[in-house]
Amino acid sequence: MSPPRSGVSPSRRLLDGGPKVQISLDLTTLEDALPTADIAVRAGVDWLEAGTPLLLGEGLHAVRALHERYPHHPIVADLKTMDAGYLEAEMVFRAGASFVVVMGRAHDHTIREAVRAARAHGACTMGDVMLCPDKVERARQMERWGVDVIIVHTGLDERHAEKGLSPLDDLRRIRPVVNLPLQAVGGLSIEQAGPCPSLGARLVVIGAPLVVADQELRPAADAEKLYETIHAFVRRVKEG
């Protein structure tokens, strides 16, 4: 079933201008993901991401399970769509997702079709500029096509191969050229997360390595430590 529509546009309902923290559930099973989501919600996280490994391991069932368990928390489906933009987006929206991720390196029509599906289902699209040759120009284009959020993303393998890379590097170049909300993703520490809203990315993701072990894709710590880490991250982002 699609998320219910309202008279207010989805971007205005979900993107109210305040800082948001999203947890990337880049885990491979719901057995690991649901307890981690429980901890994250208690710690103050705003949005829950069905990460790509979770979608590969559990399929659309992961989106449904998260949406049913947390009906008031928007679910982000990190499909990393590269083709069949309308079909893939429609599938996750019908399962209860509020956002779908489409890659900036996808064909122009794929991005536009994902946007069309979002409009049809009262949902939103996130355009990920990871590995785009010209991230600034692709962000501009996706804004013109109706994408709701630009993801400024430094990937897991990219970070391991090129030490010291951070989404904050690209954020400073992209922020001045688009009016859309920006999301910073990619190995952020608590110290790096804090300045993100003041740098123009009011949407911040906590994931590997703080809550998900980088290589094993499992929870990075026990429940108590995860709660403390997530809570500190949320507080740092919200308080600036």
Side-chain angles (χ1 to χ4, degrees), residues 106 147 155 157 173 176 234:
V147 165
D157 288 339
R173 297 186 299 116
V234 170

Side-chain angles (χ1 to χ4, degrees), residues 2-224:
S2 300
R5 302 187 193 189
S6 77
V8 179
S9 72
S11 59
R12 286 184 62 191
R13 282 189 288 111
L14 298 170
L15 302 166
D16 58 13
K20 309 286 185 189
V21 176
Q22 172 181 315
I23 185 168
S24 176
L25 296 169
D26 281 334
L27 303 160
T28 58
T29 67
L30 281 169
E31 183 180 4
D32 281 338
L34 290 179
T36 305
D38 289 343
I39 294 166
V41 168
R42 286 196 296 108
V45 158
D46 302 287
W47 297 350
L48 302 172
E49 176 192 324
T52 311
L54 185 59
L55 291 170
L56 289 170
E58 299 279 5
L60 291 177
H61 181 58
V63 177
R64 293 191 189 96
L66 288 168
H67 179 59
E68 289 169 4
R69 196 174 183 110
Y70 306 103
H72 302 298
H73 281 70
I75 307 302
V76 177
D78 188 14
L79 287 180
K80 293 187 172 68
T81 292
M82 284 292 293
D83 197 13
Y86 193 98
L87 174 64
E88 291 195 1
E90 182 175 60
M91 289 172 71
V92 296
F93 294 146
R94 285 180 169 172
S98 295
F99 293 90
V100 69
V101 176
V102 62
M103 299 307 291
R105 296 210 70 170
H107 192 279
D108 298 358
H109 189 61
T110 300
I111 298 169
R112 291 194 293 262
E113 283 293 276
V115 170
R116 186 168 71 88
R119 297 295 177 264
H121 289 272
C124 295
T125 48
M126 293 178 151
D128 190 334
V129 298
M130 182 177 74
L131 299 178
C132 287
D134 187 340
K135 295 179 181 181
V136 172
E137 179 56 27
R138 201 51 164 170
R140 281 196 188 105
Q141 291 172 329
M142 289 195 288
E143 181 174 42
R144 289 200 300 269
W145 297 332
V147 165
D148 298 287
V149 174
I150 300 297
I151 303 176
V152 183
H153 186 183
T154 303
L156 177 70
D157 288 339
E158 188 181 8
R159 287 188 284 110
H160 283 293
E162 301 179 54
K163 303 298 184 185
L165 289 182
S166 165
L168 303 186
D169 301 329
D170 294 316
L171 184 61
R172 293 181 175 90
R173 297 186 299 116
I174 294 172
R175 178 68 286 169
V177 304
V178 297
N179 295 314
L180 293 178
L182 300 184
Q183 183 179 77
V185 186
L188 294 173
S189 67
I190 293 173
E191 291 71 25
Q192 289 172 317
C196 281
S198 64
L199 293 173
R202 299 182 71 79
L203 313 176
V204 188
V205 176
I206 182 170
L210 290 181
V211 295
V212 176
D214 251 1
Q215 299 293 350
E216 297 89 351
L217 297 181
R218 56 171 176 75
D222 61 28
E224 183 178 352

